[in-house]
């Protein structure tokens, strides 16, 4: 529940109280509050009042605009408390109350309302009058009729409710007494969920001018509680060691063959359709076709007929080329840049035709696949659901999708966290200080190759030096003995002496030693890296990621190889076709020449030699020569036809190979897109799963620090603080194991993820919690996407902190329910009101549950006391859970005495607020003239309390004034 507390007070006492509350807030005793001084309220009708408040929080005091600050939060309750510090009769002011009413009305007008007009944020207004002892005669105008509560704090300060009061004195304990009263009224006392007077409201049966007298008693234990100590140890995964929770829970045991289970789990993941390697498309090679005899003959005949025209065109092209060259030279000149043409040309370059066809096909395919090759189908959301459920199930004993749950002798086996996924932040530090994460598969593979290459280079250098040493040794063994040195001219000082053999050997030995050290160092570094990687690569998630990364690299290499050789696809060589073409032309020329010569010879013979020629015979001879010529030419054409069909088949194969490469390129592109999405998703989910499995929660940090002695000395007597006898609470192994088993229940990882995701979905607008989660369908890869935000949620520790609080609350509830038998701390009150008694923690809170002491008589007029109005009517009691059993044994509501409303406190703090019946103003002595009293006044017998503290008839109660 979000609430805000506004305290309106003025004057010097208000400043002193606010300063003390600021100290308490910094120490963690009280929460944040807003203080308004009348001098900071500006009225400028018709505009609403402008209020500058002092925000008191753990960071100190800050001046803020009251309405702007309240508007920052979605509030369920706003408390407005006007504090009248009646140090003396003249210290109060009705103007403060009037100003508080104006501020309260302005806040009320600003509260949100639903369509029916109902205010959606509750407003509770209280006037708290805090008098010092002996103060009377206060004006009734300081009260606010028709406000929810007008409360007068009884001027009594008791170390315990059943002990005598030390009075409330302006120069001694008033500031502490007033600070405690204001904190309780404003609902900012630590561990107390709500304000003490939130339930005090006006109704149809009450008088708007009614007043309630209240008395406070506060008890608190500072220091780390037993549950906190237990949670700090149980929620620290490091305390379980590398085996994880499997070594302490009763429902499972650590896997006896973790490597085998991890391998099977990885294989089950990789065998799923969305993870499995897909087969490449089959090659689109041209098929050999069957052709009938008549069809083949007809096709060959048609080709032969077309060849006749082609031969004529080729011949014409040759002649036309010579003619065009001559025409160009004579008409425009060779250097004119103009080519004079004579008619159209026939295409006679088969290679150019084939190349154009291949290039056209390639351009068409490029346009089709350039975009499609980058499009990939995202993995279905079930891919990540199955992956994380499998990982969680292997670690927490839950169901494992895709494989049987491993069991040994009927006991479920669980993997160690490190066998499921590498720990968060696991990284290898290279020699240059760089860190390579355990999930950075590509960097790890590259580093392994770098280390291997460096080692091989150093080994090669060592072998080279060893060979040099061997060669030198062999040369010296074969060399003749050196002659004795002969006296000769003395070398000049500038002439460098030649290095001796011993110097060269020493230099070589030093180089060899350095090379050997370098090789040993490389091998050690490589072995260390291999050992570290073997420890991390054995996990299920590492095996999956390694397989995907390997396939991804292979596809990238294959794709780059295709891009590098795509231009290598050229038209088939035309040497054979060109050779057949030239042979055909040559055969045609010689055949036609020979046929022409034969026919000419026949006709010359017939006309010149034969005196009586038989023209019909000569005609038949001519026809025979022509037919024979055609048959021969037909044979030559058919030979060229076969060469052309062979070349056509080669072109078809080139085009088919091009289509096959394009299809493979398209398939590889889609596979690359798919594997990149898989790898990115695996990387993201591996980091989240690593957080969940290795460190799902963390101990909550201590919010409240130990109190300093000077702060304790300024506490009123009614505010008791105790410390534990021993600095550290001893947690037995039995209790720690019980806490482990309470936290690590079957399916703990899946449950932790589900709880954390609910929390995550609350802070991310529009998050889907039913059906497939947004984090499962997100493929953006952006840090601002749902999956990126989830990684940040876990990586920042926010999820761990939330789950740590939830598990601490669970341990506390188990303790309250008696399922965890926690030892009690031995505590003793500290400060000037200490009684030097060490007792168990429940006993320290016990005095707040058993007292029935009446209010101080000086607060009530004689008629009110005669009507027993100074008896406590209702006691609101907030108790820490550790004191609940003792409170229940007291059966407060079964005794004659006040009605006790028992509520749980959120911390090791107990608060008791005693409330009187509703009183008229004239029944409260504070608002009447001081009654003349003697030095000692007899006490009316009717003032005796009932219940446990009733005295026998022989004892006389006296009130000392």
């Amino acid at each position: 529940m979000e609430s805000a507390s506004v305290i309106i007070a003025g004057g010097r006492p208000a400043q002193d109280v606010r300063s003390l509350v600021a100290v308490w807030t910094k120490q963690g005793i009280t929460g944040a509050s807003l203080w308004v001084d009348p001098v900071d309220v500006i009225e400028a009708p018709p505009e609403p009042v402008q209020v500058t408040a002092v925000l008191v929080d753990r960071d100190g005091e800050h001046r803020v605009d009251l309405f702007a600050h309240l508007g920052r939060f979605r509030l369920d309750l706003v408390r407005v408390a006007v504090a009248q510090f009646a140090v003396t009769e003249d210290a109060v002011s009705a103007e403060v109350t009037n100003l508080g009413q104006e501020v309260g009305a302005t806040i009320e007008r600003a509260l949100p309302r639903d369509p029916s007009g109902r205010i959606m944020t509750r407003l509770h207004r209280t006037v708290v009058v805090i008098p010092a002892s002996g103060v009377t005669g206060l004006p009734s105008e300081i009260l606010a009729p028709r406000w929810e509560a007008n409360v007068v704090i009884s001027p009594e300060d008791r170390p315990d409710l059943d002990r005598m009061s030390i009075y409330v004195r302006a120069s001694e304990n008033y500031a502490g007494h007033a600070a405690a009263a204001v904190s309780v009224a404003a609902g900012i006392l630590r561990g107390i969920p709500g304000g003490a007077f939130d339930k005090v409201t006006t109704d149809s049966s009450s008088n708007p001018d009614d007043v309630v007298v209240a008395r406070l008693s506060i008890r608190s234990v500072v220091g780390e509680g037993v549950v906190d100590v237990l949670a700090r140890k149980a929620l620290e995964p490091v305390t379980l060691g590398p085996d994880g929770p499997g070594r302490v829970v009763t429902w499972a045991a650590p896997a006896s063959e973790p490597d085998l289970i991890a391998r099977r789990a990885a294989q089950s993941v990789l065998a799923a359709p969305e993870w499995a390697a897909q087969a490449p498309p089959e090659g689109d090679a041209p098929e050999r076709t069957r052709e009938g005899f008549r069809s083949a003959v007809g096709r060959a005949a048609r080709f032969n007929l077309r060849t006749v025209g082609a031969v004529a065109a080729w011949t014409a092209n040759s002649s036309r080329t010579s003619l065009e060259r001559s025409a160009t030279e004579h008409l425009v000149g060779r250097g004119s840049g103009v080519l004079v043409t004579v008619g159209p040309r026939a295409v006679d370059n088969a290679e150019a035709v084939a190349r154009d066809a291949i290039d056209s096909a390639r351009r068409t395919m490029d346009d089709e696949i350039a975009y499609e090759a980058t499009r990939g189908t995202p993995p279905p959301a079930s891919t990540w659901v199955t992956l994380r459920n499998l990982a969680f199930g292997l670690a927490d004993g839950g169901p494992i999708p895709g494989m049987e749950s491993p069991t040994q002798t009927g006991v479920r086996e669980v993997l160690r966290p490190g066998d499921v996924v590498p720990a968060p932040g696991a990284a290898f530090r290279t020699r240059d200080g760089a860190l390579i994460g355990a999930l950075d598969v590509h960097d790890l593979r590259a580093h392994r190759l770098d280390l291997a290459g460096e080692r091989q280079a150093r080994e090669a250098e060592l072998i080279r030096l060893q060979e040099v040493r061997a060669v030198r040794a062999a040369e010296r063994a074969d060399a003749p003995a050196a002659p004795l040195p002969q006296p000769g001219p003395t070398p000049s000082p500038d002439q460098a002496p030649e290095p001796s053999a011993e110097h060269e050997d020493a230099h070589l030995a030093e180089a060899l030693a350095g090379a050997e050290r370098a090789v040993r160092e490389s091998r050690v570094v490589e072995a260390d890296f291999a050992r570290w990687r073997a420890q991390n690569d054995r996990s299920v998630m590492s095996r999956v990621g390694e397989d995907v990364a390997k396939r991804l690299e292979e596809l990238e290499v294959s794709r780059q190889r295709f891009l590098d050789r795509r231009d290598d696809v050229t038209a088939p060589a035309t040497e054979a076709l060109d050779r057949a073409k030239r042979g055909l032309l040559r055969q045609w020329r010689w055949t036609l020449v020979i046929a022409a010569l034969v026919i000419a010879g026949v006709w010359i013979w017939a006309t010149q030699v034969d005196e009586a020629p038989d023209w019909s015979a000569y005609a038949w001879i001519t026809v025979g020569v022509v037919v024979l010529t055609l048959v021969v030419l037909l044979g030559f054409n058919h030979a060229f036809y076969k060469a052309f069909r062979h070349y056509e088949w080669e072109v078809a194969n080139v085009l088919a190979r091009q289509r096959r490469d394009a299809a493979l390129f398209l398939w590889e592109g889609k596979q690359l897109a798919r594997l990149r999405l898989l790898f990115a998703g695996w990387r993201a989910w591996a980091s989240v799963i690593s957080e969940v499995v290795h460190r799902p929660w963390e101990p909550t940090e201590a919010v409240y620090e130990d109190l300093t002695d000077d702060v304790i000395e300024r506490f009123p007597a009614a505010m008791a603080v105790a410390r534990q006898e021993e600095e550290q609470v001893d947690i037995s192994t039995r209790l720690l194991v019980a806490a482990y088993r309470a936290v690590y229940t079957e399916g703990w990882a899946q449950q932790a993820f589900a709880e954390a995701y609910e929390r995550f979905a609350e802070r991310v607008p529009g998050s889907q919690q039913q059906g497939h989660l947004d984090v499962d369908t997100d493929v953006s890869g952006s840090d601002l996407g749902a999956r990126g935000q989830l990684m940040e949620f876990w990586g920042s520790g926010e999820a761990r902190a939330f789950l740590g609080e939830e598990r601490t609350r669970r341990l506390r509830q188990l303790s309250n329910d008696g399922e965890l038998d926690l030892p009690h701390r031995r505590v003793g009150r500290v400060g000037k009101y200490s009684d030097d008694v060490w007792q168990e923690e429940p006993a320290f809170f016990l005095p707040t549950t058993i007292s029935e002491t009446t209010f101080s008589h000086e607060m009530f007029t004689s008629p009110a006391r005669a009507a027993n109005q100074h008896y406590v009517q209702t006691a609101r009691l907030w108790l820490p859970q550790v004191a609940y059993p003792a409170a229940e044994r007291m059966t407060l509501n079964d005794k004659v005495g006040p009605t006790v409303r028992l509520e749980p406190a959120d911390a090791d703090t107990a608060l008791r607020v005693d409330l009187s019946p509703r009183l008229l103003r004239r029944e409260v002595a504070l608002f009447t003239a001081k009654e003349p009293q003697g030095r000692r006044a007899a006490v009316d017998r009717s003032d005796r309390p009932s219940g446990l503290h009733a005295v026998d008839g022989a004892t006389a109660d006296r009130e000392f004034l």
Side-chain angles (χ1 to χ4, degrees):
M1 174 176 172
E2 291 287 342
S3 63
S5 298
V6 181
I7 302 168
I8 302 172
R12 180 64 185 178
Q15 296 177 7
D16 295 339
V17 173
R18 190 185 76 193
S19 298
L20 185 56
V21 171
V23 174
W24 289 3
T25 304
K26 195 169 185 179
Q27 290 278 316
I29 302 171
T30 55
S33 55
L34 293 159
W35 292 71
V36 177
D37 193 298
V39 299
D40 293 327
V41 179
I42 300 176
E43 296 182 272
E47 294 183 1
V49 293
Q50 183 175 350
V51 182
T52 301
V54 176
L55 173 63
V56 178
D57 58 17
R58 298 204 69 174
D59 296 328
E61 300 183 18
H62 323 276
R63 296 182 67 82
V64 297
D65 182 276
L66 176 65
F67 297 101
H69 182 79
L70 293 176
R72 291 175 55 196
F73 309 99
R74 182 177 289 105
L75 300 172
D76 297 322
L77 173 64
V78 176
R79 299 185 188 90
V80 177
V82 173
Q84 294 283 359
F85 299 112
V87 181
T88 63
E89 291 83 349
D90 301 329
V92 298
S93 172
E95 294 181 1
V96 175
T97 301
N98 295 335
L99 187 62
Q101 290 177 310
E102 177 65 22
V103 173
T106 307
I107 293 176
E108 184 177 16
R109 290 194 297 270
L111 295 178
R113 301 173 184 268
D114 63 13
S116 65
R118 181 181 62 87
I119 296 178
M120 301 168 63
T121 299
R122 180 189 169 200
L123 177 65
H124 190 276
R125 301 160 298 180
T126 306
V127 174
V128 184
V129 183
I130 310 170
S133 296
V135 174
T136 58
L138 298 183
S140 61
E141 289 78 11
I142 63 174
L143 301 177
R146 303 190 183 281
W147 269 27
E148 283 74 15
N150 287 275
V151 181
V152 177
I153 304 300
S154 180
E156 48 186 306
D157 192 11
R158 303 178 185 272
D160 276 337
L161 289 177
D162 53 359
R163 299 186 188 184
M164 63 181 297
S165 171
I166 65 170
Y167 295 104
V168 178
R169 305 178 189 274
S171 59
E172 296 179 6
N173 59 340
Y174 181 84
H177 172 75
V182 170
S183 300
V184 169
I188 60 175
L189 186 66
R190 75 145 177 158
I192 306 302
F197 310 126
D198 289 353
K199 299 295 178 66
V200 179
T201 58
T202 56
D203 53 33
S204 58
S205 63
S206 62
N207 189 328
D209 295 335
D210 282 352
V211 178
V212 175
V213 177
R215 179 178 57 204
L216 314 176
S217 179
I218 303 171
R219 285 188 164 244
S220 180
V221 176
V222 296
E224 198 171 20
V226 179
V227 174
D228 298 324
V229 175
L230 180 62
R232 178 163 50 81
K233 293 183 178 181
L235 299 182
E236 185 58 64
V238 178
T239 59
L240 288 171
D243 289 337
R247 58 189 288 261
V248 295
V249 297
T250 58
W251 47 264
S256 56
E257 295 290 342
D259 189 69
L260 178 61
I261 296 176
R263 187 184 307 113
R264 287 185 54 207
Q267 290 173 351
S268 69
V269 172
L270 297 172
E274 56 268 22
W275 291 94
Q278 299 179 1
E282 297 182 357
D284 187 18
E287 297 182 358
R288 294 185 179 272
T289 59
R290 293 181 178 272
E291 194 173 21
F293 178 79
R294 294 178 58 184
S295 175
V297 171
R299 181 176 181 180
R302 289 191 298 272
F303 184 85
N304 287 333
L305 291 176
R306 288 195 299 268
T307 303
V308 175
V311 170
W314 293 337
T315 304
N317 280 347
S318 178
S319 301
R320 187 179 290 112
T321 299
S322 300
L323 181 59
E324 288 175 348
R325 189 181 302 113
S326 177
T328 299
E329 182 176 356
H330 290 87
L331 293 178
V332 298
R334 290 185 178 181
S336 64
V338 177
L339 175 65
V340 178
T341 61
V342 182
R345 287 176 171 269
V347 177
D348 59 357
N349 191 342
E351 184 178 7
V353 175
R355 185 170 56 250
D356 290 344
I358 292 172
D359 291 343
S360 176
R362 180 166 54 205
R363 286 192 299 271
T364 301
M365 287 185 292
D366 285 349
D367 293 340
E368 291 177 354
I369 70 176
Y371 177 78
E372 291 298 330
T374 61
R375 304 298 96 186
T377 304
S382 59
T383 303
W384 314 120
V385 177
T386 303
L387 179 66
R388 67 169 178 266
N389 287 344
L390 179 138
F392 293 155
L394 291 171
D396 66 7
I400 304 177
M403 65 176 289
E404 295 181 358
S405 301
T407 57
Q408 181 76 304
T409 63
V411 178
R412 174 66 183 272
E413 289 187 318
V414 293
L415 291 181
R416 299 181 303 177
D419 291 328
V420 177
V421 63
F428 181 80
R429 184 178 295 277
T430 62
R431 285 176 295 179
D432 57 0
L435 292 176
I436 305 177
L439 299 177
D440 298 331
V441 180
H442 296 297
D443 294 340
L444 291 173
R445 293 167 66 92
H447 187 65
R448 179 180 61 81
L449 295 176
D450 292 342
L451 291 179
E454 181 182 0
R455 173 184 53 78
Q456 292 171 0
R458 292 183 175 184
E459 288 177 344
E461 176 64 16
L462 176 61
I463 293 173
R464 187 189 68 81
L465 292 176
Q466 290 174 343
E467 291 176 351
V468 170
R469 182 178 62 180
V471 169
R472 288 186 180 181
E475 289 176 351
R476 291 178 184 173
D478 296 338
L484 296 175
Q486 300 294 329
T490 304
S492 63
D494 298 335
Q495 183 178 357
E498 295 183 1
S500 63
E502 292 78 3
H503 178 73
E504 292 180 353
D505 291 344
H507 182 73
L508 180 60
E510 182 179 355
L512 276 169
E516 290 174 351
R517 285 194 301 271
V519 169
R520 285 196 300 271
E521 179 185 353
S522 295
R523 290 174 178 172
V524 169
V525 172
E526 192 174 13
D528 290 342
F529 177 72
R531 192 181 308 110
W532 177 87
R533 194 174 182 191
Q535 292 177 346
N536 291 277
D537 284 356
R538 69 187 181 192
S539 68
V540 177
M541 296 299 293
S542 295
R543 294 172 191 266
V544 173
E546 183 71 23
D547 183 87
V548 175
K550 182 180 178 181
R551 282 185 281 155
L552 189 59
E553 290 182 0
E554 291 174 352
L555 280 175
E556 289 175 345
V557 171
S558 176
R559 186 179 177 85
Q560 187 60 44
R561 188 185 302 117
F562 171 82
L563 294 175
D564 293 340
R565 61 179 174 81
R566 63 182 302 185
D567 295 331
D568 297 341
V569 180
T570 58
T574 59
E575 287 82 358
L577 186 63
D578 291 340
R579 192 163 51 249
K581 172 187 170 183
R582 290 191 298 271
L584 177 64
L585 291 174
R586 187 167 54 250
Q587 292 164 348
W588 266 68
R589 291 190 191 101
W590 284 108
T591 302
L592 291 176
V593 169
I594 292 173
L597 290 176
V598 171
I599 293 174
V602 169
W603 285 98
I604 291 174
W605 178 273
T607 57
Q608 300 296 330
V609 178
D610 193 355
E611 296 179 355
D614 185 358
W615 294 108
S616 61
Y618 284 112
W620 281 107
I621 292 173
T622 302
V623 170
V625 172
V626 171
V627 171
L628 179 61
T629 300
L630 292 176
V631 170
V632 172
L633 291 178
L634 182 63
F636 293 155
N637 287 353
H638 192 69
F640 179 73
Y641 169 69
K642 290 190 290 184
F644 182 81
R645 289 295 301 270
H646 179 74
Y647 183 76
E648 189 180 49
W649 176 254
E650 290 182 349
V651 173
N653 276 282
V654 171
L655 292 174
R657 186 168 67 251
Q658 193 174 36
R659 288 192 299 270
R660 182 174 63 251
D661 290 345
L664 184 61
F665 179 79
L666 177 62
W667 176 82
E668 288 179 346
K670 291 182 176 296
Q671 290 300 303
L672 271 176
R674 182 180 75 92
L675 290 179
R676 283 170 180 162
L677 289 174
L678 274 177
F679 187 80
W682 166 85
R683 182 68 174 79
W685 279 110
S687 63
V688 173
I689 292 172
S690 178
E691 292 283 350
V692 177
V693 173
H694 283 272
R695 50 182 189 186
W697 35 66
E698 63 184 9
T700 56
E701 297 182 1
V703 179
Y704 307 107
E705 303 172 357
D706 193 10
L707 304 179
T708 58
D709 293 338
D710 58 334
V711 171
I712 295 175
E713 289 299 317
R714 299 182 66 183
F715 283 162
M719 198 168 179
V721 176
R723 287 197 180 101
Q724 59 192 40
E725 185 176 13
E726 298 178 356
E727 186 175 351
Q728 297 293 334
V729 179
D730 185 22
I731 301 295
S732 65
T733 303
R734 177 192 59 80
L735 183 58
L736 183 59
V737 170
Y740 282 139
R741 293 174 178 175
V743 171
Y744 292 99
T745 57
E746 190 172 0
W748 57 267
Q750 180 66 50
Q751 183 180 1
F753 177 81
E755 292 179 14
Y757 189 82
E758 290 181 4
R759 177 76 171 194
F760 167 77
E762 292 175 359
R763 49 167 266 182
V764 178
S767 293
Q768 187 174 352
Q769 300 188 48
Q770 296 181 351
H772 289 304
L773 305 180
D774 292 343
V775 293
D776 294 325
T777 58
D778 178 29
V779 293
S780 64
S782 170
D783 293 340
L784 301 180
R787 190 177 297 166
Q789 293 188 58
L790 181 66
M791 293 173 61
E792 172 64 22
F793 178 65
W794 277 97
S796 64
E798 185 175 350
R800 294 195 303 273
F802 166 72
L803 291 173
E805 293 175 358
E806 292 297 315
R807 295 308 178 273
T808 302
R809 189 175 295 112
R810 178 183 298 178
L811 291 175
R812 183 171 285 110
Q813 186 62 44
L814 291 174
S815 172
N816 298 335
D817 296 341
E819 297 184 29
L820 277 180
D821 187 13
L822 299 182
H824 294 304
R825 292 180 291 179
R826 286 184 57 80
V827 299
R829 182 168 181 170
V830 295
K832 55 187 177 182
Y833 303 109
S834 171
D835 51 9
D836 297 326
V837 174
W838 295 99
Q839 54 190 340
E840 289 191 346
E841 191 171 355
F844 174 74
F845 294 111
L846 190 60
T848 60
T849 67
I850 60 176
S851 176
E852 297 176 12
T853 304
T854 63
F855 287 104
S856 174
H857 288 190
E858 66 175 294
M859 285 297 299
F860 301 86
T861 61
S862 297
R865 291 197 302 271
N868 295 333
Q869 298 286 58
H870 60 297
Y871 285 11
V872 176
Q873 184 184 55
T874 303
R876 297 196 64 191
L877 180 59
W878 287 267
L879 278 179
Q881 293 288 351
V882 69
Y884 254 72
E888 291 174 350
R889 285 195 299 269
M890 297 304 300
T891 60
L892 292 172
N893 292 324
D894 294 337
K895 297 185 304 178
V896 177
T899 300
V900 177
R901 296 176 180 174
L902 185 61
E903 300 179 43
D906 294 337
D908 297 329
T909 299
L911 169 65
R912 173 166 173 157
V913 180
D914 291 333
L915 299 174
S916 72
R918 288 184 175 274
L919 305 170
L920 299 176
R921 295 179 187 177
R922 63 176 180 271
E923 295 178 313
V924 181
L926 191 65
F927 299 106
T928 61
K930 188 172 183 179
E931 297 180 3
Q933 294 180 332
R935 189 169 184 83
R936 299 177 64 183
V939 179
D940 191 344
R941 295 288 180 179
S942 64
D943 291 342
R944 292 179 182 174
S946 60
L948 289 178
H949 294 275
V951 296
D952 56 27
T955 305
D957 287 342
R958 300 225 178 238
E959 178 184 13
F960 294 90
L961 302 178

